[in-house]
Amino acid sequence: MWYDSRCWSTAVERWLSGRRRTIGNRVNVNSVPWVQIPFSPLKALGGLHSAFLLFWLRTARGLKADLEYWRQFYEGEEDCPPARYDGWLDNWLEALGVCGTVVDLGCGYGVDSVFLAGKGIVPVACDLSERALQALRRRAPQVPVHAFDMAQGLPFDSGALGAVIADLSLHYFDWQTTCCIAKEILRVLRPGGLLLCRVNALEEYRPCQGDIQLEANFYRTQNGGDKRFFSGEDVRRMLEGFRLEELELRTTEKYGALKRCWMAAARKENGAGRMAPERMPR
């Protein structure tokens, strides 16, 4: 038997923090991700020690580093940020309009949230950076915002959301954390709920002399930011448990320069669905 220390640390963190404010309700602490604990009491004790150590290191060091990185990233940016909506959600407006509560996970500058609000679909804009959310409040005061670190779990009840949008926000983590975030998204979506996401493609990576490879396709770049680059198979592995409806290699100019990314659309179902074929490229 085994345990996933990252998912277990997420569960421990949610238990320690008790009830968190959520959108219209509170977190159900009994709905944390299920984990398997080793049968041996000694192994279990060692596993709990590792989980608590991982939690405290993440909280005391990792979260502080992330906050500092994103504080500097958004420092000095004007209320009109160097990002624009590029049409990637256009074909999904009808589905988003009828699915219930929509969360924009890792919203950053909030260009997707502002676009959806203009179409009558008001999402909950979520990000680690209070600086980014403050700027979004000024541009679109009708959009509710929520600050939290997705790597520590999603502060929503199981089955509470109709859709999650994650636009270029899931490629900043090690593989274990990435998979745990995907499992959390699966947990908070209702059956039939929709996930729309984009992540860096392998074709986007441009090696630089100062880059440090942390694990396969995951690098600490020269500016201090950690970035992951995905193959189509990586996206499938990340979304295990979803029914994948679309997976396509695309090019975007959201931030001005051309960027290669995978766009995926997936739904929560009771069982694993048949994986959609890759479509290359558009």
Side-chain angles (χ1 to χ4, degrees):
M1 301 181 73
W2 57 273
Y3 73 95
D4 186 325
S5 60
R6 174 66 73 169
C7 287
W8 177 244
S9 67
T10 299
V12 170
E13 187 273 340
R14 200 179 288 116
W15 176 77
L16 287 173
S17 63
R19 297 177 181 178
R20 284 182 182 170
R21 292 297 299 275
T22 60
I23 308 308
N25 53 31
R26 290 181 181 272
V27 172
N28 177 3
V29 296
N30 294 319
S31 64
V32 297
W34 181 84
V35 293
Q36 295 175 303
I37 305 299
F39 179 76
S40 166
L42 291 177
K43 289 184 179 180
L45 181 61
L48 286 171
H49 177 269
S50 298
F52 273 109
L53 180 60
L54 177 63
F55 166 66
W56 287 117
L57 286 175
R58 171 67 189 173
T59 302
R61 299 179 61 188
L63 181 56
K64 182 178 179 181
D66 288 347
L67 284 168
E68 179 61 21
Y69 172 79
W70 290 112
R71 185 194 67 78
Q72 294 181 9
F73 183 86
Y74 290 109
E75 187 70 31
E77 296 292 351
E78 301 297 331
D79 285 350
C80 296
R84 65 181 182 84
Y85 174 71
D86 61 358
W88 78 288
L89 297 174
D90 289 357
N91 293 336
W92 297 94
L93 288 177
E94 184 176 353
L96 291 172
V98 299
C99 69
T101 303
V102 178
V103 160
D104 186 357
L105 187 61
C107 64
Y109 296 116
V111 293
D112 294 332
S113 290
V114 172
F115 167 76
L116 290 175
K119 297 296 183 179
I121 305 168
V122 182
V124 181
C126 305
D127 202 88
L128 176 66
S129 170
E130 283 281 5
R131 174 71 174 81
L133 295 178
Q134 289 170 5
L136 176 56
R137 286 190 191 101
R138 291 192 290 271
R139 296 198 310 278
Q142 76 276 29
V143 175
V145 300
H146 196 13
F148 61 86
D149 179 9
M150 72 175 80
Q152 298 299 317
L154 305 186
F156 304 103
D157 283 333
S158 297
L161 306 181
V164 171
I165 298 165
D167 188 14
L168 303 175
S169 62
L170 299 180
H171 50 226
Y172 296 104
F173 310 97
D174 62 76
W175 184 248
Q176 191 175 35
T177 303
T178 301
C179 291
C180 281
I181 293 172
K183 291 175 184 176
E184 275 288 89
I185 295 173
L186 189 65
R187 179 184 67 82
V188 300
L189 285 173
R190 62 170 173 75
L194 179 64
L195 168 63
L196 300 173
C197 67
R198 294 195 293 187
V199 294
N200 284 331
L202 284 177
E203 292 81 357
E204 176 63 16
Y205 180 57
R206 298 171 180 83
C208 293
Q209 186 175 359
D211 290 354
I212 301 173
Q213 185 169 359
L214 302 176
E215 58 183 46
N217 301 324
F218 184 49
Y219 301 87
R220 179 153 295 156
T221 58
Q222 284 183 311
N223 63 4
D226 297 347
K227 290 186 180 180
R228 173 170 297 282
F229 300 86
F230 287 74
S231 66
E233 183 57 33
D234 291 337
V235 179
R236 287 187 170 87
R237 290 170 55 211
M238 177 181 69
L239 298 181
E240 183 179 358
F242 288 86
R243 179 170 63 84
L244 192 57
E245 295 188 351
E246 181 176 339
L247 180 60
E248 185 174 357
L249 184 62
R250 295 185 176 181
T251 299
T252 177
E253 293 183 271
K254 178 179 179 178
Y255 296 107
L258 292 177
K259 182 182 184 70
R260 300 290 277 167
C261 64
W262 287 100
M263 187 276 175
R267 290 189 183 273
K268 176 178 180 177
E269 291 194 341
N270 292 332
R274 182 174 61 85
M275 291 299 187
E278 294 176 12
R279 288 192 284 169
M280 305 278 294
R282 193 173 95 175

